[in-house]
Amino acid sequence: MAPLAPYACSDQESRGRHHAEPSPRFRNEFQRDRDRILHSSAFRRLEYKTQVFINHEGDLFRTRLTHTLEVAQIARTIARALGLHEDLTEAICLAHDLGHTPFGHAGQDQLNHCMKPYGGFEHNLQSLRVVDHLEQKYANFDGLNLTFETREGILKHCSRDNAQRLGAVGERFLHAQQPSLEAQLANLADEVAYNNHDVDDGLRSGLITIEQLLEVDYFRERYESVARDHAKLEARRQKYEVVRRMITGHVSDIICTTQEQLDQTKPTTLDEVKNQPKAIVRFSATIAEQNRELKRFLFQHLYRHYKVHRMTTKAKEVIRKQFDAYIDDPRLLPDKYQQRVREAEERDGTNGRARAIADYIAGMTDRYAIAEHRRLFDPLSTA
Ligand code: MG
């Protein structure tokens, strides 16, 4: 790993783990976090969870797993260039979507709607819940017992109520502080990854076209530069070349702009990073504006496309019907989850019952959710 800058998080000065453990012999603390995340069941399930396109629509579209790997790869490049802790950055990136429901944002919105009377559902908080409680594979504790720094990085946003309930990782929300630079970076790398791969997937699906995208400045500039460099390029290579330049443009812009911010603010400690009024890791004003235009385009033409909308409407129905069935009669759940619902209900009453059901549904992959739907509601299906 490259030498750490003074404003980076240090694994040796970590605020530690909830359950004390001896330090690993051949890895640093953040490497251990990353490895625990990689070996978790929730991480493997990302392979069968939707990013935008429902998992069974085609083999080439991004899933949450490939999205997550792209986020980590983009962030690691930037972390290394800026002297940030690459292992911590990678750990946060690999964990950032662990709490996502099946069926992408439609699933999250529906589960949140179902959970409204019981405290709501937020995938970002759920990611933390996965690593803190839901993974059950260690002899001495529930969860992965990750370091404070990784956990704080996973918690991108959170309400005041939740911040109070969450203790130390929620504190920065109560004091209007920034997260570490590694966490700021993971957040922005997520955006770089999805904005660009959604252009790629959108074009591949045929739901959006090059002609439409030419109205977006950031795309058009790169499209024209490819056309200048390669007069006769077949369409497929042309698309890859444009998307490649879009990603490189974003990554370079973040590195240069953030370095300028660091030169100006000169933070020498993590506290000085946290007490900045705004995030230090950022796009330049020009690219930020172009990025907003790209996002507006994707929202309007891709995420709201009627074909995507049809799929997400069906997906919401799958989530809603299952949630309603389980909340009315938890005995429909597999034994292991009935047990969890009983325990949660003893602790927290109806809210506990609902939360344990939400944990079960959020943990499902797309295909598991569809199969479970069939088992529950198709009279000819065997349970
Ligand atoms: Mg993401």
Side-chain angles (χ1 to χ4, degrees), residues 51-52 67 70-71 74 188-202 208 213 218-219 243 246-247 250 283 287-288 290-299 302-303:
Q51 183 64 28
V52 172
H67 160 72
E70 289 183 31
V71 174
I74 286 164
L188 208 53
D190 185 22
E191 200 176 317
V192 172
Y194 66 68
N195 281 330
N196 291 302
H197 66 47
D198 287 353
V199 168
D200 184 28
D201 280 352
I208 54 175
L213 270 161
Y218 192 71
F219 181 90
V243 174
M246 288 171 73
I247 298 173
H250 279 148
F283 289 118
I287 297 290
Q290 289 191 335
N291 218 21
R292 280 192 287 274
E293 189 193 14
L294 175 61
K295 280 167 107 159
R296 279 196 298 273
F297 174 90
L298 288 170
F299 196 76
L302 183 61
Y303 310 143

